[in-house]
Amino acid sequence: MIRPGGAFGVSGVAERYAWAARRLEDPYARSMSGLRMRAAAGVVAGALALGIAELLAAFFGGESAPWQVLGASVVDHTPDGLREWAIQTFGTTDKTVLHLVMALVAASVAALAGIVERTERAAGSALFAVFGTVTAVLAISRVGLSAAVPTLLGVAVGVYALRVLTRRIDAAVAAREATPLGARAAGGTTAEDSPSTVPAPEQPAASVRDTPREIDRTGRREVLRGLMIAGGAAVVTGVAGRLIGLRRVDVSGERAAVVLPTPSGPPVELAPGAELRVPGLTPYVTPAADFYRIDTALLVPQVSIEDWSLRIHGMVEREIVLRWDDLANRTAVERLVTLTCVSNPVGGDLVGNALWRGYRIDELLAESGPLPDADMVLSRSKDGWTAGTPLPVLTDGRDALLAIGMNGEPLPVAHGYPARLVVPGLYGYVSATKWVTELEVTRFDRATAYWTRRGWSPLGPIKTATRIDTPGAGKIAPGRTVIAGVAWAQRRGISAVEVSIDNGPWQRASLAAEQSVDTWRQWVFEWEATAGKHTILARATDGAGEVQTARAQGVLPDGATGYPSVFVRVG
């Protein structure tokens, strides 16, 4: 039998309902007794940990910053399918997207740490400690023992901040819960005590400062003040660390002062008719600012010419170490070479043509004397990335270069300054090492490069391909329409390009003059467009007479194949 009064009677139910209604209406109760303040404390403490670590990494080396360590580890362990999806979906902005995803994950983990942290239960601090330990181990494995210092000290400061902030939150919540219900009603403040508590008679407030509402506001202000101080410290340390780090290692000023050597032979000039200058068609020479960049470096390595050297070693008769000043005594050459990324989808834009200046790799290797049974050169970047290039490719007379210049200027930092490899005829993952510091002469059965150990083909010859640049997909006007694009088959050249409309007969396009077999070739085709929906296909034939295959294949494991297509609506 239910009594009319008491906690479970009619008045008790009404009291519980009123208690719940007051809690929902009070924004202070929602924030303080809920999870938002604790989540904010976790995020701020996590940001402070990263900021302190970033500041310390400016002195221990930018590669020791936990953000860099974790990002590089994510790149190294991302499944190939997911990686290729990201490249094809986001293109050259894939690293920006990765940073955003990492920020969301880090904020979520830090918020969870704040939610579970309590004065008497340091669960969030333990989560921070696990994060710090894992990151420190990764830093040691990638860089060295000292690389763990920024992470460990940063996490220590983050744990301290988390403890201080959550103590303030706990104290504010405890103060609110200790306030009598009647006094809360008089002051307009709610609390988390039991809804079955019988309201106490209203108590006269001695002064505004003595009211429970003022006590709650004071607690809230203390928490917010702590969050603002810690958040400000996170911003200051993080920004200061990045600025100091850039100032300590930034080589852009040095690059601007570099004078490239004069190449031997006559200047490279475009053959008459090599560039068609059709509106919408890709320029024959790709500006450095528009040249694609696909690599594993989240932070672009900053390598000074004062510190740079190239070591040629391994299965050689003599080891050679070249420094920047040594290059001045060598003969430089300049060549137009088209580079292609193996991640380029059919019709994609991860391909570019540039004028490269540098030194012939076959001459450098000849001085070291590769042993007869060597068949591969493992090139190593400043950031540890490696590529395995067939030794015969580097010594067969093609213009494989140790490049130090691009389009008449020193290499852009993002494209490998001060030196990189440029090898015609091979996809970049087996040849185009940026920020190169080592050439190890070895064998394919003794060494495995970065991407080949992840299942990619070890050889990587570029396949015959073409791309339709104009018109783009969408609506076009009827009548005379110019279809144009570029085609490439480095080391073989392009002998023909054909266009098909709606799977009709293949019709020959007009080719620009051929500059060399190592560069792409522009083409153009005139079409009398009629009203309706149409599909435009293109295919190329290389200099050996081999026609581009129609077989559709993704980029794994050795490059995409198939015909590029554009869907247009005329009318």
Side-chain angles (χ1 to χ4, degrees):
M1 179 177 179
I2 300 178
R3 294 183 299 168
F8 298 98
V10 175
S11 61
V13 172
E15 182 182 324
R16 291 172 65 86
Y17 178 83
W19 172 83
R22 287 196 303 273
R23 287 184 54 75
L24 291 174
E25 292 171 357
D26 185 3
Y28 176 47
R30 289 204 309 270
S31 63
M32 290 298 294
S33 63
L35 305 178
R36 277 181 281 181
M37 283 293 186
R38 297 187 189 279
V43 171
V44 168
L48 182 59
L50 290 174
I52 293 293
E54 187 75 32
L55 180 60
L56 292 172
F59 302 96
F60 282 84
E63 65 276 9
S64 66
W67 195 261
Q68 168 69 5
V69 170
L70 290 174
S73 298
V74 169
V75 171
D76 288 350
H77 296 93
T78 297
D80 287 337
L82 179 58
R83 171 186 174 273
E84 293 310 317
W85 172 86
I87 291 176
Q88 295 182 31
T89 303
F90 304 110
T92 54
T93 63
D94 59 334
K95 293 178 177 61
T96 301
V97 174
L98 175 59
H99 282 297
L100 291 175
V101 172
M102 288 176 58
L104 290 174
V105 172
S108 300
V109 173
L112 176 62
I115 289 170
V116 300
E117 180 78 2
R118 294 292 187 278
T119 299
E120 71 283 355
R121 187 184 68 218
S125 297
L127 188 58
F128 271 37
V130 170
F131 163 84
T133 301
V134 171
T135 307
V137 171
L138 291 173
I140 293 172
S141 65
R142 296 184 65 86
V143 184
L145 188 61
S146 63
V149 174
T151 294
L152 295 178
L153 292 181
V155 168
V157 174
V159 168
Y160 175 77
L162 182 64
R163 298 295 292 166
V164 170
L165 292 172
T166 51
R167 283 196 191 102
R168 291 189 178 188
I169 294 173
D170 289 346
V173 171
R176 185 184 58 216
E177 291 179 344
T179 305
L181 183 59
R184 289 197 306 274
T189 303
T190 60
E192 289 186 22
D193 46 0
S194 171
S196 61
T197 304
V198 178
E202 292 186 6
Q203 302 292 328
S207 67
V208 175
R209 290 184 176 276
D210 294 332
T211 62
R213 185 178 184 87
E214 183 64 23
I215 294 173
D216 285 346
R217 285 177 175 173
T218 300
R220 185 182 186 184
R221 282 199 300 268
E222 287 295 315
V223 173
L224 292 176
R225 185 181 296 113
L227 290 173
M228 292 177 64
I229 292 173
V235 172
V236 170
T237 54
V239 172
R242 180 56 56 90
L243 292 177
I244 294 173
L246 288 176
R247 182 178 292 274
R248 286 171 60 89
V249 301
D250 183 26
V251 295
S252 58
E254 171 191 282
R255 172 187 173 273
V258 169
V259 178
L260 292 178
T262 301
S264 64
V268 175
E269 296 181 357
L270 290 187
E275 184 157 26
L276 297 177
R277 302 187 185 279
V278 174
L281 177 61
T282 300
Y284 181 75
V285 175
T286 309
D290 298 332
F291 208 95
Y292 76 92
R293 179 200 162 200
I294 298 293
D295 51 54
T296 62
L298 287 183
L299 293 178
V300 176
Q302 305 285 322
V303 185
S304 170
I305 58 175
E306 300 296 329
D307 303 324
W308 178 85
S309 64
L310 179 68
R311 179 186 175 211
I312 304 176
H313 64 107
M315 298 175 64
V316 295
E317 295 176 355
R318 66 195 67 84
E319 180 174 316
I320 296 176
V321 177
L322 296 174
R323 300 197 177 277
W324 184 262
D325 291 342
D326 298 329
L327 298 179
N329 300 319
R330 298 178 176 274
T331 302
V333 298
E334 195 163 48
R335 299 290 187 269
L336 276 164
V337 177
T338 296
L339 299 185
T340 310
C341 181
V342 72
S343 296
N344 194 41
V346 173
D349 60 358
L350 301 182
V351 55
N353 186 44
L355 183 62
W356 307 96
R357 189 178 305 184
Y359 306 89
R360 297 189 61 89
I361 294 177
D362 53 4
E363 295 179 358
L364 300 179
L365 290 174
E367 293 182 25
S368 66
L371 299 181
D373 57 340
D375 63 6
M376 187 255 271
V377 173
L378 186 73
S379 54
R380 181 169 284 103
S381 170
K382 174 66 174 179
D383 65 352
W385 187 84
T386 56
T389 309
L391 179 59
V393 168
L394 297 175
T395 57
D396 65 1
R398 72 183 67 190
D399 293 319
L401 302 179
L402 173 69
I404 61 172
M406 180 180 185
N407 293 340
E409 298 182 355
L411 284 173
V413 178
H415 288 289
Y417 176 86
R420 64 169 295 166
L421 299 188
V422 171
V423 182
L426 296 182
Y427 287 118
Y429 79 103
V430 295
S431 65
T433 305
K434 303 171 187 175
W435 316 287
V436 64
T437 59
E438 286 186 43
L439 299 180
E440 180 185 355
V441 180
T442 181
R443 292 183 54 82
F444 279 105
D445 57 7
R446 297 183 186 179
T448 308
Y450 184 93
W451 285 118
T452 51
R453 77 171 62 106
R454 288 163 172 80
W456 292 75
S457 169
L459 301 181
I462 290 175
K463 299 176 179 178
T464 302
T466 188
R467 183 179 73 205
I468 302 171
D469 287 342
T470 185
K475 186 177 181 180
I476 62 174
R480 180 179 175 275
T481 299
V482 173
I483 303 172
V486 290
W488 58 91
Q490 291 90 312
R491 297 306 301 153
R492 302 182 303 280
I494 295 294
S495 62
V497 172
E498 299 167 289
V499 175
S500 171
I501 309 297
D502 300 327
N503 292 312
W506 289 101
Q507 304 175 70
R508 283 256 182 163
S510 298
L511 289 175
E514 184 176 63
Q515 177 76 24
S516 79
V517 295
D518 289 335
T519 61
W520 60 17
R521 200 168 180 182
Q522 295 179 333
W523 57 267
V524 63
F525 177 82
E526 292 188 2
W527 170 47
E528 195 66 30
T530 57
K533 297 179 180 179
H534 300 281
T535 301
I536 304 171
L537 300 177
R539 71 181 185 185
T541 301
D542 67 19
E546 184 176 346
V547 180
Q548 178 178 346
T549 178
R551 182 174 61 88
Q553 172 186 301
V555 297
L556 288 167
D558 58 0
T561 60
Y563 294 156
S565 61
V566 172
F567 302 93
V568 296
R569 182 163 55 90
V570 180

